[in-house]
Amino acid sequence: MAKGRILSGMRPTGRLHIGHLSVLENWKRLQEEYDCFFFSADWHALTTSFEDTGEIKENTLEMVTDWLAVGLDPERSVIFTQSDIKEHAELHLLFSMIIPLSWLERVPTYKDQVQQFREQGKDIMTYGFLGYPLLQAADILIYRADAVPVGEDQLPHLELCREVARRFNHMYSPVFPEPRALLSRVRLLPGVDNRKMSKSYANDIGIFAGPDELRKKVNAMITDPARIRKNDPGHPEVCVVHKYHSIYSPSELAGIEEQCRRGEIGCVACKKMMHESLDRILAPLRERREEITARRGYVREVLAEGALKARREASETMRMVREAMKI
Ligand code: TRP
Ligand code: SF4
């Protein structure tokens, strides 16, 4: 039986943080079972940074370097940049003719995000921003993907994608499968200050942070504020370090909790253990990344090769679409 086909993408926002690591590990696992397409959504990055585009190209290269270092394998998966495949834009245009405006206006994230950006003094009331989920539908359907690994926040976009596929198939002829969402068990790690992890809060930990930065970030993690002296009994459930231990030091977790509650371990020592656990995981990734960056031009080659393979599939879909629409 043919393998199922997976597609997923990320906007190139620069270096990745460890919140992305579980997403990438999931992609890496999916490579074993599926034909995978992974791409840098650089046109999507324009929706919020159309005034300041200077870093988009470089960010794609950095992000894809990170992907390769974590273990995405260009021999097995098609790794490419959205803007290299113009067919996404053609399909998006054709879809824009058949989608009712109300479908886009009612996407729950739309009004929220416009509001959020407005509060930051940014106006994103653009045509492109409204159309973001439709371009995403084109990204997915152009490869006739069966499933899309996404986080929960993307479910409304995937639902819209399925509706567009259904409408097209019904109106013309059945070209598109209705892709399902593969909800990944993404571990939601807080930032070091216990807010949502985000580069804009500077509370994130880079996957490829060097040893000094890593130490600084671990030191900045918020612990139980009720502990003043190191033998005060602690409450691990309110502590960021504890949340990280639960993911990165699972075998030591029970012991740490117990010692914390009894006031037998100080936060400084506890953070030192955290730093060691993180470094054990991140050091080999850093090494892999260095090997990759030492091969000059390698990432560009991967993307060029990926574009060739992606284009082959995308142009076949467009042939079917044009035939179905008789244009
Ligand atoms: N919207 C996605 C995000 O912000 C990125 C994206 C664009 C995507 N096109 C996609 C994800 C297609 C999956 C499939 O994370
Ligand atoms: Fe957090 Fe560890 Fe301090 Fe307990 S001992 S509060 S788990 S850092």
Side-chain angles (χ1 to χ4, degrees):
M1 212 181 83
K3 284 187 183 173
R5 182 175 290 179
I6 290 273
L7 171 124
S8 203
M10 274 184 203
R11 277 171 301 154
T13 50
R15 301 294 293 271
L16 301 179
H17 58 62
I18 55 175
H20 297 112
L21 192 53
S22 66
V23 175
L24 290 176
E25 278 165 352
N26 188 43
W27 287 9
K28 183 177 156 184
R29 265 194 308 275
L30 290 168
Q31 295 183 125
E32 320 270 334
E33 273 181 67
Y34 296 91
D35 285 326
C36 294
F37 288 69
F38 298 119
F39 74 102
S40 168
D42 59 345
W43 279 337
H44 278 102
L46 287 173
T47 50
T48 51
S49 56
F50 52 86
E51 286 174 306
D52 186 9
T53 58
E55 294 186 343
I56 293 181
K57 255 197 190 138
E58 189 54 34
N59 282 350
T60 286
L61 289 174
E62 292 289 331
M63 179 174 77
V64 173
T65 308
D66 290 358
W67 290 1
L68 299 175
V70 173
L72 295 197
D73 177 1
E75 300 289 321
R76 280 195 289 185
S77 299
V78 182
I79 297 172
F80 65 101
T81 307
Q82 181 183 33
S83 63
D84 279 341
I85 314 297
K86 311 304 178 203
E87 286 81 353
H88 291 226
E90 184 181 358
L91 188 59
H92 174 234
L93 177 103
L94 296 176
F95 283 164
S96 78
M97 303 299 168
I98 70 165
I99 187 172
L101 200 48
S102 61
W103 288 16
L104 288 170
E105 285 167 341
R106 73 167 189 234
V107 171
T109 47
Y110 176 65
K111 288 205 173 79
D112 288 359
Q113 286 196 326
V114 168
Q115 188 54 34
Q116 252 178 42
F117 278 101
R118 194 167 284 155
E119 281 159 18
Q120 296 168 23
K122 233 178 174 174
D123 182 14
I124 48 165
M125 287 295 282
T126 58
Y127 185 48
F129 187 69
L130 179 67
Y132 184 113
L134 190 62
L135 179 57
Q136 184 165 351
D139 297 336
I140 298 167
L141 295 175
I142 199 141
Y143 300 103
R144 283 162 282 140
D146 302 299
V148 185
V150 283
E152 210 157 331
D153 61 314
Q154 297 287 312
L155 285 181
H157 292 180
L158 211 72
E159 195 44 46
L160 183 92
C161 172
R162 296 160 56 84
E163 281 171 334
V164 170
R166 221 172 293 147
R167 187 172 172 89
F168 184 100
N169 291 344
H170 178 74
M171 208 175 263
Y172 305 109
S173 62
V175 170
F176 301 111
E178 283 178 39
R180 55 199 167 84
L182 275 188
L183 261 193
S184 37
R185 298 166 282 127
V186 174
R187 300 175 301 226
L188 263 192
L189 273 174
V192 295
D193 58 1
N194 213 10
R195 289 189 292 173
K196 180 176 183 283
M197 191 184 307
S198 158
K199 217 164 68 171
S200 53
Y201 294 152
N203 65 358
D204 58 327
I205 300 180
I207 303 180
F208 301 95
D212 287 345
E213 192 194 333
L214 201 57
R215 192 167 295 117
K216 241 193 271 163
K217 292 285 165 114
V218 172
N219 284 338
M221 285 182 183
I222 292 189
T223 60
D224 175 3
R227 289 193 89 189
I228 299 171
R229 280 170 302 263
K230 79 173 181 200
N231 47 2
D232 288 341
H235 307 84
E237 60 282 356
V238 301
C239 171
V240 175
V241 184
H242 174 256
K243 288 196 184 115
Y244 277 72
H245 273 309
S246 69
I247 288 165
Y248 295 112
S249 340
S251 60
E252 289 146 312
L253 186 67
I256 291 169
E257 274 176 15
E258 174 109 19
Q259 288 183 304
C260 172
R261 281 188 209 289
R262 293 201 193 136
E264 289 169 357
I265 180 176
C267 294
V268 174
C270 190
K271 283 183 169 179
K272 190 156 175 282
M273 287 171 69
M274 174 78 274
H275 179 262
E276 281 163 13
S277 295
L278 267 179
D279 204 53
R280 232 184 340 263
I281 292 163
L282 300 184
L285 299 181
R286 278 201 300 271
E287 261 170 53
R288 279 270 299 145
R289 199 181 198 284
E290 272 164 30
E291 283 165 27
I292 291 165
T293 47
R295 295 170 68 179
R296 283 186 58 108
Y298 175 66
V299 178
R300 282 176 209 274
E301 275 166 38
V302 165
L303 289 171
E305 179 90 5
L308 287 178
K309 294 187 203 153
R311 193 170 303 121
R312 210 157 40 226
E313 291 301 322
S315 42
E316 174 59 13
T317 304
M318 283 318 298
R319 197 193 52 70
M320 293 158 71
V321 165
R322 291 186 209 109
E323 186 179 291
M325 293 180 80
K326 303 189 174 44
I327 53 168

